[in-house]
């Protein structure tokens, strides 16, 4: 029997998607959020699961940071459509040895980010677990009807841009897993891994610009995530690797520990920056920091350039199984 290991995460999602065609006018499986028209607005809905030993190590992450991150990764999916979050639902499966103090701290982190983004917790579910912690968060968001930025809207000639440095989170994870000594730079990267900042304000600004076409958040790494935009839009892309934004802290840690900063920037995931494509003429209208990393081209698939010359790179993003 074939296992889901050989099918892969996206193969499994495809099997599910084939059985559930979205109703007319609704965006269903395949984008960062479902988009459900409702009067003058569209309702955005998304859910994400965090599982102990897959997404975090209980001994390493503070419960406060885990609470923050659980909400952050979901709020990021609303940001990826250009929407505003309205509220969240939190479901927890916790083993009985979790302390009250741990639970209080977890909720405190969750509360802090909820207040920061005006997204109150409205419900959820709580159960015991026989082993690991599992955390599911669902977020509801809102955007004007027809204004959500979809993965399928990239156009040939579009600039490809990101809202912030890439690979910090992945380098933070490498610090955690490799057990290297932690100085200021290492601590900064671990912080970026456990406390990502969802780009909600940036997403709403970008959604106001008609010259911005496709958008998504970077959860699995540009190498994988940009491919979702390419497939959904039926186009190809060229990414200039010398233009990838890399933080000072990541570059210096990569040098010190012998890691490849370009590989981390492209494939390491969980940065939760926004990845978007836009008309060249829209670049001057974007009132926030952003970095152009490439261009949408005819064809399919992603190719890499280094100072304009084609370069072959063995890069793949994160996928489960
Ligand atoms: P993201 O990283 O933005 O959360 P994913 O790559 O996890 O997106 O998921 C891709 C798409 O597949 C999303 O539209 C998501 O809602 C959908 N999806 C993932 N898992 C399932 C599932 N078990 N059932 C239905 N839809 C799913
Ligand atoms: Mg996403």
């Amino acid at each position: 029997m074939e296992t889901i290991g050989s099918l892969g995460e996206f193969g499994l999602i495809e099997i599910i998607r084939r059985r559930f065609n979205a109703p007319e006018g609704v965006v269903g499986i395949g984008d960062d959020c479902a988009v459900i028209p409702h009067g003058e607005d569209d309702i955005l809905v998304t859910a994400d699961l965090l599982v102990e030993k897959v997404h975090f190590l209980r001994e390493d992450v503070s419960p406060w940071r885990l609470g923050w991150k659980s909400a952050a990764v979901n709020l990021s999916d609303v940001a990826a459509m250009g929407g505003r979050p309205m509220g969240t639902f939190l479901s927890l499966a916790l083993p009985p040895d979790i302390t009250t103090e741990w639970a209080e701290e977890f909720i405190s982190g969750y509360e802090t980010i909820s207040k920061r983004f005006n997204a109150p917790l409205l419900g959820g579910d709580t159960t015991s677990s026989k082993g690991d912690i599992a955390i599911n968060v669902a977020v509801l968001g809102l955007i004007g009807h027809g204004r959500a930025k979809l993965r399928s809207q990239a156009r040939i000639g579009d600039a490809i841009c990101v809202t912030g440095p890439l690979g910090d989170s992945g380098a933070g994870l490498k610090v955690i897993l490799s057990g290297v000594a932690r100085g200021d730079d290492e601590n900064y990267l671990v912080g970026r891994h456990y406390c990502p900042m969802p780009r909600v304000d940036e997403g709403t600004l970008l959604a106001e610009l008609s010259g911005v076409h496709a958008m998504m958040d970077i959860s699995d790494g540009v190498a994988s995530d940009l491919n979702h935009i390419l497939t959904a839009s039926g186009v190809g892309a060229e990414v200039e690797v010398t233009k990838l934004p890399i933080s000072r802290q990541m570059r210096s840690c990569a040098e010190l520990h012998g890691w490849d900063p370009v590989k981390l920037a492209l494939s390491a995931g969980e940065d939760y920056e926004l990845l978007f494509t836009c008309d060249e003429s829209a670049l001057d209208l974007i009132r926030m920091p952003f970095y152009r990393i490439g261009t949408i081209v005819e064809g399919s698939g992603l190719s890499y350039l280094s100072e304009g010359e084609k370069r072959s790179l063995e890069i793949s993003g994160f996928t489960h199984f």
Side-chain angles (χ1 to χ4, degrees):
M1 277 292 270
E2 206 185 5
T3 64
I4 52 172
S6 49
L7 199 57
E9 175 188 354
F10 298 113
L12 180 56
I13 293 174
E14 185 51 27
I15 287 182
I16 298 172
R17 195 190 61 78
R18 264 190 247 131
R19 291 181 183 241
F20 293 91
N21 279 328
E24 185 67 28
V26 171
V27 176
I29 295 171
D31 219 305
D32 294 285
C33 290
V35 185
I36 305 167
H38 186 72
E40 310 242 294
D41 292 315
D42 287 347
I43 297 173
L44 305 171
V45 190
T46 176
D48 259 295
L49 188 58
L50 275 82
V51 175
E52 183 177 356
K53 300 193 191 106
V54 178
H55 296 97
F56 62 91
L57 300 173
R58 203 192 306 181
E59 318 76 60
D60 196 76
V61 62
S62 78
W64 193 97
R65 287 180 153 192
L66 188 59
W68 172 286
K69 184 164 182 176
S70 304
V73 302
N74 280 276
L75 294 169
S76 176
D77 276 325
V78 171
M81 312 301 292
R84 282 258 159 231
M86 287 195 293
T88 71
F89 291 76
L90 168 65
S91 298
L92 293 170
L94 298 175
D97 61 333
I98 288 289
T99 62
T100 316
E101 194 189 2
W102 191 99
E104 296 257 11
E105 277 295 300
F106 176 88
I107 295 302
S108 169
Y110 194 99
E111 183 186 18
T112 306
I113 188 168
S114 302
K115 289 196 167 137
R116 163 75 178 73
F117 289 105
N118 235 334
L121 176 57
L122 301 174
D125 198 14
T126 306
T127 89
S128 63
S129 152
K130 299 285 181 212
D132 294 335
I133 299 170
I135 304 158
N136 172 260
V137 177
V139 180
L140 293 178
L142 211 57
I143 189 163
H145 179 59
R147 306 193 78 92
K149 299 295 184 189
L150 307 180
R151 295 178 181 185
S152 55
Q153 291 168 331
R155 300 183 197 168
I156 292 160
D158 273 0
I160 304 169
C161 306
V162 294
T163 51
L166 303 175
D168 280 1
S169 174
L173 181 62
K174 263 179 128 37
V175 170
I176 294 163
L177 297 179
S178 66
V180 295
R182 296 187 192 182
D184 286 350
D185 289 346
E186 284 81 0
N187 282 328
Y188 170 83
L189 297 172
V190 170
R192 292 271 289 162
H193 180 71
Y194 280 136
C195 286
M197 185 61 84
R199 301 298 179 199
V200 175
D201 299 331
E202 292 81 351
T204 52
L205 278 176
L206 291 167
E208 281 167 18
L209 300 176
S210 59
V212 172
H213 300 144
M215 185 152 75
M216 68 181 297
D217 67 334
I218 303 171
S219 55
D220 298 333
V222 168
S224 165
D225 290 328
L226 182 53
N227 263 311
H228 293 310
I229 288 183
L230 303 184
T231 311
S233 304
V235 293
E238 288 176 348
V239 166
E240 174 59 58
V241 294
T242 57
K243 294 278 164 51
L244 296 168
I246 293 176
S247 70
R248 180 193 59 72
Q249 293 89 340
M250 203 274 256
R251 198 173 285 287
S252 91
C253 272
E255 208 164 283
L256 184 64
H257 305 300
W259 303 332
D260 179 349
V262 168
K263 199 166 175 189
L264 279 168
L266 285 172
S267 66
E270 295 209 288
D271 284 313
Y272 297 105
E273 297 295 343
L274 298 177
L275 170 66
F276 60 95
T277 80
C278 65
D279 283 336
E280 296 247 354
S281 60
L283 292 170
D284 293 336
L285 305 175
I286 302 173
R287 306 265 173 266
M288 58 184 205
F290 70 95
Y291 306 85
R292 179 176 185 174
I293 62 167
T295 307
I296 295 290
V297 296
E298 246 176 272
S300 63
L302 179 50
S303 43
Y304 298 105
L305 305 181
S306 182
E307 297 186 353
E309 298 290 316
K310 279 239 167 41
R311 188 172 144 182
S312 85
L313 282 178
E314 274 308 306
I315 299 276
S316 56
F318 180 81
T319 125
H320 287 279
F321 310 119

